[in-house]
């Protein structure tokens, strides 16, 4: 795991309601990423919830003393008031309303102290077979608002949330017995067929602005990459190869698509301009089996993907600037289906063994990994994530 230098020389200069990140003097010349040490005070339930949230962040360490910052969280009506202090000086405070107040407060604390976006208020969708069938579920990151979305009693695959959180696309064998793409209105639960063409319909993925959907269709006799509008109309075929394409993923600006193709005889990651349809292979030079690309939302030069390595599958990342790849995970079992969180630092992925699978969170800066999905979900996999607008 690569370590990034943390070169720093900051002065304490913050107004009570300043807009920038709160900065303190830091260790100079250290060779490893340094976590901020924080102490939590206030309401016991909020402190417990905050401890769980900050425990997921590789840049935060909850301590009993010797902290960089104190986060005080108190209930105010149906919301939460957050106060940030350091060395006995109050630096910043704000109130957050609504049912997601704690997560939003924790995200604000990350933004103010690390200078990067928080991800705790993210919403996820994923697959679980807790009922004996692979169904789609939605949840918050702490799984306190878990909801079973489908009851297909069939194989469900590849859930994908729209950027506005109103719609979900997924693949299911429900109905026709063949893989079709369905669209679900999350406010009403109404389900409609999004793509039910002859052959395979899968991999539907919203563009960052929600105005396009990329997907894989095989109605022409070969699995090719297509784009359509959010209603599944105005289909455009982007690839016309004799190979099999899969796993489309949009660039942050919605201009390019990364996807998997076996043109070289085995799965490799390719990148295509949606407008010009020019296509190039990502020269990962790390494995003969690379798939499931996911584009970093904050750093377009980084693409995470799944790579076969030493008899297992691992999560890796390709850096365009360095033209090189790095394995991010090691250990027993497979690490597959990576997806970036909105800070561009953390990933959710599926840890899979011969007996079970679960969702994990990975800090790509420190290598810290932690279980995300609870055991009662049985096998959990294939997470997709959005941050509410």
């Amino acid at each position: 795991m690569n370590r990034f230098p943390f070169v720093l020389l900051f002065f304490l200069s913050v107004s009570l309601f300043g807009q920038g990140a709160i900065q303190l003097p830091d260790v100079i010349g250290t060779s490893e990423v340094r976590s901020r040490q924080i102490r939590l005070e206030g309401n016991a339930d909020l402190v417990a919830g905050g401890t769980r949230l900050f425990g997921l962040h590789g840049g935060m360490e909850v301590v009993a003393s010797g902290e960089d910052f104190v986060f005080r969280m108190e209930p105010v009506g149906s919301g939460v008031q957050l106060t940030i202090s350091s060395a006995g000086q109050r630096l910043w405070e704000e109130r957050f309303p609504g049912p997601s107040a704690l997560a939003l407060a924790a995200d604000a604390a990350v933004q103010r102290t690390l200078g990067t976006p928080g991800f705790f208020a993210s919403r996820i969708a994923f697959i679980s077979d807790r009922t004996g069938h692979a169904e789609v579920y939605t949840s918050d990151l702490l799984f306190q608002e878990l909801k079973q979305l489908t009851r297909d009693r069939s194989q469900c695959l590849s859930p994908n949330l729209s950027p506005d959180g109103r719609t979900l696309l997924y693949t299911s064998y429900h109905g026709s017995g063949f893989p079709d793409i369905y669209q679900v209105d999350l406010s009403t639960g109404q389900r409609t067929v999004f793509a039910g063409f002859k052959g395979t319909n899968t991999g539907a993925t919203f563009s960052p602005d929600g105005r396009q959907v990329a997907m894989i269709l095989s109605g022409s006799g070969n699995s090719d990459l297509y784009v359509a509008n959010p209603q599944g109309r105005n289909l455009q075929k982007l690839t016309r190869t004799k190979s099999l394409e899969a796993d489309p993923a949009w660039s942050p600006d919605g201009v390019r698509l990364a996807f998997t193709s076996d043109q070289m005889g085995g799965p490799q990651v390719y990148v295509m301009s949606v407008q010009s349809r020019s296509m190039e292979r990502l020269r990962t030079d790390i494995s003969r089996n690379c798939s499931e690309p996911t584009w970093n939302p904050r750093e377009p030069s980084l693409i995470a993907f799944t790579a076969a390595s030493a008899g297992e599958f691992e999560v890796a990342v390709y850096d365009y600037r360095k033209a090189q790849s790095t394995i991010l995970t090691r250990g027993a079992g497979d690490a597959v289906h990576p997806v970036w969180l909105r800070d561009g630092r953390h990933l959710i992925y599926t840890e899979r063994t011969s007996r079970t699978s679960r969702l994990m969170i990975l800090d790509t800066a420190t290598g810290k990994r932690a279980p995300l999905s609870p055991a009662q979900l049985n096998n959990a996999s294939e997470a997709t994530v959005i941050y509410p607008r």
Side-chain angles (χ1 to χ4, degrees):
M1 183 71 213
N2 288 339
R3 300 289 187 179
F4 301 99
F6 211 70
V7 181
L8 318 131
L9 214 80
F10 292 129
F11 298 96
L12 178 60
S13 104
V14 177
S15 63
L16 180 60
F17 296 98
Q19 295 302 307
I22 298 169
Q23 298 173 334
L24 290 178
D26 208 334
V27 179
I28 299 174
T30 180
S31 62
E32 294 187 355
V33 174
R34 179 179 180 272
S35 296
R36 292 295 189 190
Q37 295 186 324
I38 61 172
R39 181 162 56 86
L40 305 182
E41 293 183 345
N43 177 270
D45 290 338
L46 294 178
V47 167
T51 299
R52 291 180 62 195
L53 286 172
F54 290 118
L56 298 175
H57 199 297
M60 294 286 189
E61 181 183 1
V62 180
V63 297
S65 61
E67 70 280 350
D68 295 314
F69 297 101
V70 175
F71 299 158
R72 172 169 283 275
M73 296 174 289
E74 297 287 358
V76 179
S78 61
V80 173
Q81 177 165 304
L82 168 69
T83 303
I84 301 177
S85 303
S86 181
Q89 180 181 0
R90 189 176 66 166
L91 303 175
W92 184 81
E93 66 179 19
E94 187 171 335
R95 294 182 180 182
F96 299 86
S100 300
L102 175 59
L104 292 171
D107 284 337
V110 169
Q111 179 73 57
R112 294 292 175 173
T113 56
L114 292 183
T116 57
F119 57 79
F120 300 130
S122 297
R123 307 294 302 180
I124 64 172
F126 60 96
I127 303 296
S128 171
D129 64 358
R130 67 184 298 191
T131 63
H133 299 277
E135 304 283 5
V136 181
Y137 291 75
T138 60
S139 180
D140 63 313
L141 281 189
L142 293 184
F143 294 86
Q144 294 177 336
E145 301 170 22
L146 181 66
K147 180 180 179 181
Q148 184 176 340
L149 187 64
T150 65
R151 287 172 171 78
D152 290 3
R153 299 179 65 83
S154 180
Q155 181 74 15
C156 295
L157 304 164
S158 306
N160 186 259
L161 290 162
S162 63
D164 61 10
R166 297 178 180 177
T167 307
L168 181 136
L169 297 171
Y170 74 103
T171 296
S172 176
Y173 288 75
H174 170 78
S176 68
F178 294 94
D180 293 330
I181 299 171
Y182 291 87
Q183 184 176 50
V184 181
D185 184 320
L186 295 181
S187 62
T188 66
Q190 182 179 3
R191 178 178 61 184
T192 55
V193 176
F194 185 84
F197 303 105
K198 177 183 177 181
T200 298
N201 308 271
T202 190
T205 306
F206 283 100
S207 62
D209 62 7
R211 295 180 180 179
Q212 296 183 89
V213 174
M215 68 190 105
I216 303 297
L217 306 177
S218 68
S220 62
N222 196 64
S223 294
D224 282 302
L225 176 63
Y226 290 75
V227 293
N229 66 18
Q231 290 75 44
R233 304 187 184 96
N234 300 333
L235 274 174
Q236 299 178 55
K237 189 176 182 178
L238 299 188
T239 60
R240 299 178 183 275
T241 69
K242 295 181 180 180
S243 56
L244 301 178
E245 275 73 64
D247 312 322
W250 293 89
S251 62
D253 59 8
V255 172
R256 293 174 291 171
L257 281 163
F259 57 96
T260 304
S261 178
D262 65 357
Q263 290 187 50
M264 301 291 292
Q268 291 291 308
V269 176
Y270 287 75
V271 172
M272 168 181 280
S273 164
V274 176
Q275 184 173 5
S276 70
R277 302 185 186 181
S278 59
M279 177 175 166
E280 64 174 353
R281 183 170 69 89
L282 207 65
R283 298 187 178 277
T284 57
D285 296 329
I286 202 170
S287 172
R288 294 182 179 179
N289 189 330
C290 299
S291 62
E292 301 175 342
T294 175
W295 225 304
N296 190 298
R298 299 191 72 224
E299 182 45 74
S301 66
L302 300 178
I303 295 179
F305 60 97
T306 300
S309 176
E312 295 179 338
F313 288 99
E314 305 289 357
V315 174
V317 65
Y318 178 79
D319 189 333
Y320 266 107
R321 296 165 302 183
K322 300 178 181 178
Q324 70 180 35
S325 302
T326 304
I327 296 288
L328 300 180
T329 57
R330 289 292 186 191
D334 295 324
V336 296
H337 301 303
V339 58
W340 290 101
L341 291 169
R342 77 159 184 158
D343 65 349
R345 169 173 171 164
H346 291 80
L347 284 162
I348 295 176
Y349 68 95
T350 301
E351 181 184 80
R352 185 179 64 195
T353 68
S354 59
R355 300 178 63 183
T356 187
S357 64
R358 60 178 178 174
L359 301 179
M360 300 284 290
I361 188 167
L362 167 69
D363 179 4
T364 62
T366 65
K368 176 184 176 182
R369 291 180 286 175
L372 189 64
S373 56
Q376 58 265 34
L377 278 174
N378 204 15
N379 293 308
S381 63
E382 296 189 65
T384 179
V385 60
I386 62 163
Y387 194 88
R389 294 177 174 178

